[in-house]
Amino acid sequence: MDSFIAPLERVVEAAEWFVRTPSLRLLHVTTSSVLRNPVLSHLTAAELLDANRAPFFVLEAPTEPGDDGWSFRTEELRLDWDVLREGAPASAPLPALAPPEPSEFPLAGFAFELGRALSLLPPSVSGLVVVLAPVWIRDAARWQSDLELLLRETVLTNVRFVVVETDTACTAPIVRQLSESAEHVDATVDLAAAGEEADARLAGMKAAPRGATGVQLVGGAGPSVLPPPRGAPPSLSPEARAAHAGRQGVAPVLLDSDAMRDLRVAVLSAAAAMRDGDLVRAVGHQREARDFCTAHGLERESIANELILGGYVLSGGSPERALDVFEQARARASAAGLGALVVQAGMAIGACMALSGRQTDAAIAYAEAGRAGAESGSTIFAIEAYRTCGQLRLATGDVEEAARAFRRALDVADAGGAEGSSAIEAARALATLCRSHGLTAQADSLEAQAGAMDTAALGPDARVGSARDA
């Protein structure tokens, strides 16, 4: 789709210009969340250009009101240096960075580490490119001030920066200050154009003749009437399809391309109607999708579509009606033994109760969802459910129950892995809670645990790799 391709093309062009123009100190990229990872991949691919002689480091720690993120960026920097060392030729090995120097000021510590890395580069390398891609910036003034100080630091003259922001433009004032030494590229998605393209594809899917194959099934162009067959085997009869499906252990409808296209049309029509603000039409199409799945024995898909249906009803401002839908979905998921869907339905129930002002009931619903997630092995959902329960308990002043919920989230993380979850937020919330009640040792331990999880999440295999690993 052009609305997604065009922003990436602008990124590729800007990255190549940045590599070929040493006078640029800063490239500022604003993008949409859906394109964040592709944007980073295209940016770091510029490291492979023949004109480039500088390694790229990608640092993704966020900036919070109470945490500027530079301590974590220092850890990311050291990890990227280790990756660079591993890839260095045996004829020109890179030394390891010395143990980090303790610093009262995280930004100064980061600048020191960056300067130290710069000093260890061989003469054939022309500095460093640091890609600052915070997952979010929630303190714009602090971010601007810190970045301005880094750009002014004379020791870091040979460091050039690329800043990638998702759904914000906090760096824009610095781009204006630097004038000709900075470039900005808009890599955001044109939502109106994306909607028009989606509508066109949906219309193409609807217009495709029965029995169409290939690109027409997903809205691509094709004849309005099927061409005569040219030696192709005849399509399976319903009886043959059922027999084949039985041998494969799947529902017969999954082998019926026309029926599955009808399902896709219903789901996409509901999404398009919701985007246009037509709640009645969205609910009608989504109910059609759910009923289709139910009628054809697709229990998991039916419940998943029922959860989406409840979400549409909730978005329309009817939490009590949505609650009925979610409770029905949870009962069906529980009867079918679909643990992950039980947890999702339980969390949706908690959200409905919270929106209705029933905070205590909502916390109980989230706790039940967390317990169901832990029992079914749905680790990420369980952690998020317990963490949200803890936040709700804090909001109602029930500190003891809040601490218990946060601790359960961490216990689940310890047992099943925290990658991709909100366990880090739970650890920090519990640390804040302990510190506010004078439990300093417990707070320090929890903050260390959060730091360890954060560092593990930023390991080479879990983060966006540099172009060196491509």
Side-chain angles (χ1 to χ4, degrees), residues 15-53:
E16 183 170 351
W17 176 251
F18 180 76
V19 164
R20 297 181 185 279
T21 312
S23 60
L24 290 175
R25 287 291 313 283
L26 173 65
L27 173 62
H28 179 220
V29 183
T30 51
T31 190
S32 306
S33 56
V34 70
L35 282 185
R36 182 178 182 274
N37 284 347
V39 162
L40 285 174
S41 296
H42 283 72
L43 280 170
T44 53
E47 188 178 17
L48 296 176
L49 292 173
D50 291 338
N52 180 57
R53 292 173 51 227

Side-chain angles (χ1 to χ4, degrees), residues 1 93 144 150 193 247 250 253 276 317 329 379 403 428 438 447 466-467:
M1 297 173 69
Q144 292 167 13
L150 286 176
R247 289 192 297 270
V250 299
V253 71
D276 296 337
T379 301
R428 287 180 174 146
E447 285 170 355
S466 73

Side-chain angles (χ1 to χ4, degrees), residues 94-184:
L94 288 174
L97 288 174
E101 297 284 343
S103 175
E104 186 179 350
F105 304 101
L107 177 61
F110 173 81
F112 179 79
E113 289 291 318
L114 189 53
R116 187 154 57 175
L118 200 62
S119 68
L120 296 176
L121 293 173
S124 59
V125 175
S126 60
L128 288 170
V129 173
V130 175
V131 181
L132 297 173
V135 289
W136 59 72
I137 299 174
R138 293 176 178 162
D139 188 341
R142 180 63 175 270
W143 172 260
Q144 292 167 13
S145 173
D146 289 350
L147 185 56
E148 189 175 359
L149 287 172
L150 286 176
L151 287 163
R152 273 199 230 155
E153 179 56 59
T154 55
V155 176
L156 304 181
T157 302
N158 289 333
V159 178
R160 303 168 70 208
F161 293 91
V162 179
V163 175
V164 180
E165 290 190 56
T166 306
D167 300 324
T168 60
C170 302
T171 310
I174 297 178
V175 175
R176 291 192 291 269
Q177 290 174 20
L178 291 177
S179 185
E180 296 182 358
S181 298
E183 287 278 345
H184 171 258

Side-chain angles (χ1 to χ4, degrees), residues 161-461:
F161 293 91
V162 179
V163 175
V164 180
E165 290 190 56
T166 306
D167 300 324
T168 60
C170 302
T171 310
I174 297 178
V175 175
R176 291 192 291 269
Q177 290 174 20
L178 291 177
S179 185
E180 296 182 358
S181 298
E183 287 278 345
H184 171 258
V185 57
D186 181 359
T188 55
V189 175
D190 184 335
L191 296 179
E196 291 173 0
E197 291 170 358
D199 288 342
R201 286 200 172 269
L202 181 57
M205 291 173 66
K206 291 178 178 178
R210 309 302 289 181
T213 59
V215 296
Q216 281 189 280
L217 291 176
V218 291
S224 58
V225 178
L226 288 181
R230 298 182 180 179
S235 58
L236 293 175
S237 66
E239 294 77 16
R241 186 185 303 121
H244 185 60
R247 289 192 297 270
Q248 299 295 320
V250 299
V253 71
L254 294 176
L255 303 182
D256 186 339
S257 59
D258 287 333
M260 296 312 295
R261 184 188 63 182
D262 291 342
L263 175 59
R264 285 195 295 272
V265 167
V267 172
L268 292 174
S269 296
M274 200 65 194
R275 184 197 67 219
D276 296 337
D278 190 340
L279 177 64
V280 174
R281 191 160 57 92
V283 168
H285 284 304
Q286 191 58 39
R287 187 180 290 120
E288 177 187 344
R290 179 202 60 187
D291 293 345
F292 174 96
C293 294
T294 302
H296 289 89
L298 303 176
E299 187 69 5
R300 180 187 297 274
E301 292 78 4
S302 175
I303 298 169
N305 277 287
E306 189 158 43
L307 290 175
I308 297 173
L309 174 62
Y312 288 161
V313 174
L314 183 61
S315 297
S318 302
E320 292 303 326
R321 286 180 56 203
L323 184 60
D324 292 338
V325 177
F326 290 136
E327 286 179 337
Q328 177 174 305
R330 183 173 64 177
R332 293 177 59 201
S334 180
L338 300 172
L341 291 176
V342 171
V343 184
Q344 292 175 61
M347 293 173 69
I349 289 169
C352 288
M353 290 176 170
L355 287 173
S356 299
R358 298 162 57 187
Q359 303 298 319
T360 300
D361 290 339
I364 293 172
Y366 276 108
E368 290 175 350
R371 183 164 52 253
E375 291 172 354
S376 65
S378 303
T379 301
I380 292 177
F381 289 133
I383 293 170
E384 179 61 20
Y386 277 133
R387 187 192 67 82
T388 306
C389 172
Q391 297 287 19
L392 287 168
R393 290 296 192 183
L394 277 182
T396 59
D398 194 338
V399 175
E400 185 176 340
E401 285 296 326
R404 187 174 289 115
F406 288 137
R407 174 49 65 187
R408 284 174 178 161
L410 296 178
D411 290 343
V412 173
D414 287 340
E419 183 178 338
S421 74
S422 59
I424 296 171
E425 288 82 355
R428 287 180 174 146
L430 186 52
T432 301
L433 189 64
C434 290
R435 200 173 297 283
S436 67
H437 287 74
L439 304 174
T440 306
Q442 292 90 329
D444 290 343
S445 174
L446 287 162
E447 285 170 355
Q449 185 176 355
M453 287 189 286
D454 222 350
T455 300
L458 295 170
D461 293 334

